C-alpha cells in the first residue's frame, strides 16, 4: 500500500504521511493486490461475515453454554452485543496512581450500556415463553436496551421512568426505539414496587434485574474480559453499584470461571456507590444485617439514583466470594474522574466514572496498592447524559469563552489564533 499524488504521481516513502503533495495535489492510497489469491480472499471474507451473522458472534451468546444452554437458537434475540473494547490508558493510570488499570467499555454495546449483555438474554427468555409485552422501570439505560430488543423481537415494551433526576437523552432513546413510556412521580424504587405487584395482572414480562436471566447475561462481561486477558484476571475488579445487578453478575461469573478452572485465582471486587445513593455501602460499612433503604436517593450520576437495590443480598454473596469491599464517592469526584476518562478517548457516562473515582480514593486510603492491577467496568456511553457534559464543560471559563467568541466573531484566523498560539 502506498500514498501517491493524484496530480504529479509522486510517491511518499514508507512512514511518510501528508494530505497534499508539494505540487498541491491530493494523495491517494494505492494497493498492490497482485500477491493475493482472490478465491482464498473471498473465502476469508465469507468466513468472517458468516461468523458475524450468527448469534454466536455476540459477546454474550458466545458463552451460551454457561448462560442459557437450553434456549433454542430460534428464540435468541440478539444485536451482536458484547465484543466491547478493553483498554489501558496512561492518563487513567496516572490519575489513579495504579500501575496497571484496564477499563472494559460496555458503553460500546448497541444501545450504549452494559444492560445489553443482560437484556438480550431476558428478552430471549421472554420470547421463548411467548410473551409479546415486556416491561421495566428505569433511569433510562435498562429502558433503552429493553425498547431496542423488544422492537427487534417484534414485541411491545412498556416503560416506567421517574419524572425527574434522569437524563432526557435516555428517555428519548427509549421512545425512539418504540417503547410506550409512562413518567411517574417517584424513583426507580417505586417503579420496581409497582411492577413486582402488578406486572403479572398486566401480562407483562419484567426485564429489570429482579429477573435472573438479566443477571445470567451480564455474567458475560467478566467472561469476555477474562478471555481477552487470556484467562488471567487482574487483582481487583471495580464496578459501580446502583440496583447491584452488575455486582451480582460479576460475582456469579467469577465463581463460574473459578469452578471451571478457567482462572485459578479469585480477584477481589470493589463496589462503588455515589454518596447520595449509598445504602449498600452503609450496610457493609456499618456491618448491619438488613439494608436500610434510602428514601430520597440523589446523585448527579442519575443511573445510580437507587435507594433500595433489589439485588443487595445477591451482591453480598459477591463480596463474600471475592473478599470484596465497598466505598462511596461524592458527585464532584465522579465528575472529575469522568472528565479524565472522556479525555482519554474512551469516554463514559457519570455512573461509570464512579469506578475510577472509587479506585483513586481506595488507593489514597491504601486499600488498593499501586502495584496491584485493576479492571474497571465502564457501564454507559458518554452521550447518554449530555446535560452533565454541557454543565461540566461550558461551565468552564475557557471553553465558555471559546464558545462565546466563536458565536460573536465567527471563524477567522485572529479569533482562533488567540486560543491556539497566543495562550
Ligand atoms: C450506566 C450505569 N452504570 C451503573 C449502573 C448501576 O448498575 P447496577 O444497577 O447493576 O448496580 C446503572 C444502572 O443500573 C447504569 O445504567
Ligand atoms: N440504572 C438502571 C436502574 C437499574 O435497573 P435494573 O434494570 O438493573 O434493575 C437503569 O438503567 O434503569
Amino acid at each position: 500500500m502506498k500514498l501517491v499524488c493524484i496530480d504529479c504521481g509522486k510517491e511518499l516513502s514508507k512512514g511518510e504521511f501528508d494530505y497534499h503533495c508539494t505540487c498541491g495535489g491530493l494523495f491517494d492510497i494505492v494497493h498492490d493486490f497482485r500477491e493475493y489469491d482472490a478465491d482464498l480472499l473471498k473465502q476469508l471474507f465469507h468466513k468472517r461475515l458468516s461468523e458475524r451473522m450468527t448469534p454466536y458472534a455476540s459477546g454474550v451468546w458466545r458463552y451460551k453454554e454457561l448462560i442459557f444452554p437450553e434456549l433454542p437458537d430460534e428464540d435468541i434475540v440478539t444485536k451482536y452485543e458484547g465484543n466491547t473494547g478493553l483498554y489501558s490508558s496512561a492518563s487513567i493510570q496516572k490519575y489513579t496512581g495504579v500501575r496497571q488499570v484496564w477499563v472494559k467499555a460496555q458503553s460500546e454495546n448497541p444501545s450504549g450500556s452494559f444492560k445489553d449483555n443482560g437484556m438480550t438474554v431476558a428478552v430471549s427468555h421472554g420470547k421463548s415463553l411467548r410473551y409479546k409485552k415486556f416491561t421495566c422501570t428505569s433511569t433510562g439505560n435498562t429502558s433503552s436496551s429493553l425498547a431496542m430488543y423488544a422492537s427487534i423481537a417484534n414485541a411491545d415494551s412498556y416503560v416506567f421512568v421517574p419524572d425527574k433526576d434522569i437524563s432526557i437523552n435516555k428517555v428519548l432513546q427509549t421512545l425512539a426505539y418504540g417503547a410506550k413510556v409512562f413518567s411517574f412521580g417517584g424513583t426507580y424504587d417505586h417503579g420496581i414496587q409497582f411492577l413486582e405487584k402488578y406486572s403479572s395482572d398486566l401480562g407483562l414480562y419484567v426485564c429489570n434485574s429482579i429477573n435472573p436471566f438479566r443477571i445470567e447475561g451480564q455474567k458475560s462481561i467478566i467472561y469476555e474480559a477474562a478471555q481477552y486477558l487470556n484467562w488471567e484476571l487482574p487483582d481487583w475488579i471495580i464496578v459501580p453499584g446502583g440496583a447491584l445487578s452488575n455486582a451480582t453478575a460479576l460475582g456469579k461469573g467469577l465463581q463460574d470461571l473459578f469452578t471451571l478452572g478457567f482462572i485459578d485465582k479469585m480477584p477481589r471486587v470493589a463496589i462503588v456507590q455515589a454518596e447520595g445513593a449509598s445504602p449498600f455501602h452503609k450496610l457493609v460499612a456499618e456491618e448491619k444485617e438488613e439494608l436500610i433503604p434510602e428514601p430520597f436517593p440523589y446523585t448527579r450520576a442519575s443511573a445510580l439514583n437507587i435507594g433500595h437495590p433489589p439485588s443487595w443480598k445477591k451482591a453480598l454473596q459477591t463480596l463474600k466470594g471475592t473478599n470484596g469491599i465497598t466505598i462511596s464517592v461524592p458527585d464532584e469526584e465522579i465528575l472529575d474522574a469522568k472528565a479524565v476518562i472522556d479525555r482519554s478517548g474512551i469516554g463514559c457516562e457519570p455512573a461509570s466514572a464512579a469506578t475510577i473515582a472509587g479506585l483513586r480514593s481506595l488507593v489514597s486510603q491504601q486499600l488498593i496498592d499501586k502495584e496491584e492491577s485493576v479492571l474497571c467496568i465502564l457501564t454507559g456511553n458518554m452521550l447518554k447524559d449530555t446535560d452533565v457534559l454541557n454543565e461540566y464543560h461550558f461551565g468552564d471559563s475557557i471553553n465558555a469563552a471559546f464558545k462565546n467568541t466563536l458565536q460573536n466573531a465567527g471563524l477567522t484566523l485572529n479569533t482562533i489564533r488567540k486560543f491556539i498560539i497566543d495562550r
Side-chain angles (χ1 to χ4, degrees):
M1 185 181 111
K2 51 195 180 188
L3 282 156
V4 182
C5 171
I6 54 163
D7 285 347
C8 71
K10 178 181 162 186
E11 246 180 58
L12 288 186
S13 5
K14 238 184 172 27
E16 267 191 310
F17 172 69
D18 216 332
Y19 309 97
H20 286 276
C21 178
T22 41
C23 79
L26 279 171
F27 282 110
D28 185 24
I29 291 177
V30 178
H31 295 270
D32 183 1
F33 292 154
R34 283 172 301 181
E35 297 289 301
Y36 289 142
D37 175 326
D39 285 335
L40 278 180
L41 207 56
K42 247 198 240 160
Q43 278 172 29
L44 176 68
F45 294 163
H46 190 69
K47 180 169 164 279
R48 286 184 185 156
L49 181 65
S50 57
E51 277 169 3
R52 174 163 160 59
M53 303 309 279
T54 76
Y56 299 104
S58 147
V60 175
W61 296 105
R62 178 159 72 245
Y63 310 104
K64 183 169 184 260
E65 288 67 22
L66 310 185
I67 291 173
F68 194 173
E70 294 85 4
L71 185 76
D73 278 9
E74 59 272 21
D75 285 331
I76 294 180
V77 183
T78 182
K79 212 175 169 204
Y80 311 107
E81 51 291 311
N83 296 311
T84 57
L86 183 71
Y87 305 101
S88 132
S89 145
S91 55
I92 294 177
Q93 279 162 196
K94 186 162 171 234
Y95 185 72
T96 57
V98 173
R99 182 181 55 82
Q100 176 66 72
V101 185
W102 294 102
V103 295
K104 179 112 169 67
Q106 294 315 110
S107 46
E108 294 172 1
N109 259 332
S111 85
S113 85
F114 77 103
K115 306 286 177 167
D116 294 346
N117 290 70
M119 198 59 73
T120 177
V121 180
V123 171
S124 299
H125 175 246
K127 182 180 170 190
S128 75
L129 299 179
R130 304 296 161 239
Y131 272 91
K132 293 294 281 177
K133 291 179 180 172
F134 293 80
T135 190
C136 72
T137 184
S138 181
T139 57
N141 280 333
T142 295
S143 59
S144 302
S145 183
L146 169 60
M148 181 182 81
Y149 285 105
S151 291
I152 291 172
N154 211 9
D156 294 324
S157 55
Y158 300 87
V159 160
F160 299 84
V161 296
D163 65 0
K164 62 175 171 25
D165 300 333
I166 58 172
S167 162
I168 187 69
N169 303 38
K170 298 177 185 179
V171 180
L172 291 173
Q173 187 184 7
T174 303
L175 280 167
Y177 278 131
K180 276 101 194 141
V181 176
F182 303 92
S183 166
F184 65 92
T187 64
Y188 162 90
D189 308 307
H190 300 102
I192 278 286
Q193 280 162 21
F194 176 83
L195 289 181
E196 284 184 319
K197 214 163 163 187
Y198 300 117
S199 59
S200 85
D201 291 349
L202 295 165
L204 299 170
Y205 180 92
V206 181
C207 288
N208 281 107
S209 52
I210 55 168
N211 181 330
F213 284 92
R214 266 273 311 278
I215 306 284
E216 284 310 286
Q218 286 172 209
K219 292 189 312 185
S220 59
I221 299 171
I222 196 62
Y223 297 161
E224 195 170 79
Q227 190 174 13
Y228 286 173
L229 293 169
N230 211 12
W231 312 108
E232 277 191 33
L233 284 168
D235 299 310
W236 286 90
I237 303 181
I238 307 193
V239 282
L244 298 170
S245 71
N246 209 359
T248 298
L250 173 59
K252 275 198 88 181
L254 285 170
Q255 193 57 58
D256 293 346
L257 294 174
F258 192 72
T259 307
L260 287 162
F262 284 20
I263 56 170
D264 49 25
K265 185 179 137 242
M266 203 55 143
R268 296 185 69 188
V269 167
I271 302 172
V272 186
Q273 293 208 289
E275 233 164 58
S278 53
F280 186 68
H281 170 61
K282 285 185 188 125
L283 165 86
V284 175
E286 293 164 17
E287 296 179 30
K288 293 244 161 58
E289 292 286 310
E290 286 287 316
L291 181 127
I292 301 173
E294 164 60 64
F296 304 106
Y298 180 76
T299 163
R300 202 67 190 83
S302 59
L304 304 181
N305 244 338
I306 293 168
H308 194 178
S311 293
W312 68 268
K313 282 189 187 163
K314 290 181 173 180
L316 278 181
Q317 292 302 318
T318 297
L319 294 183
K320 206 166 143 207
T322 65
N323 190 20
I325 58 175
T326 63
I327 185 175
S328 69
V329 283
D331 282 1
E332 306 78 64
E333 289 177 23
I334 294 178
L335 296 181
D336 286 343
K338 174 179 150 50
V340 173
I341 300 163
D342 290 351
R343 266 186 248 118
S344 77
I346 299 164
C348 67
E349 70 165 279
S352 319
T355 54
I356 298 296
L359 172 56
R360 187 171 148 102
S361 179
L362 289 166
V363 171
S364 76
Q365 294 175 47
Q366 296 178 337
L367 290 167
I368 292 185
D369 191 275
K370 290 179 177 179
E371 288 307 309
E372 290 183 292
S373 53
V374 183
L375 164 67
C376 293
I377 310 295
L378 297 185
T379 45
N381 190 285
M382 71 191 285
L383 293 177
K384 285 279 192 173
D385 194 336
T386 44
D387 286 342
V388 163
L389 285 173
N390 205 5
E391 273 166 40
Y392 193 89
H393 292 284
F394 289 128
D396 161 318
S397 56
I398 291 175
N399 283 330
F402 187 48
K403 187 180 171 198
N404 285 338
T405 310
L406 271 183
Q407 273 166 357
N408 298 332
L411 186 62
T412 66
L413 179 60
N414 279 341
T415 2
I416 301 304
R417 184 197 299 275
K418 79 171 196 272
F419 287 96
I420 297 178
I421 296 174
D422 298 348
R423 276 185 61 214

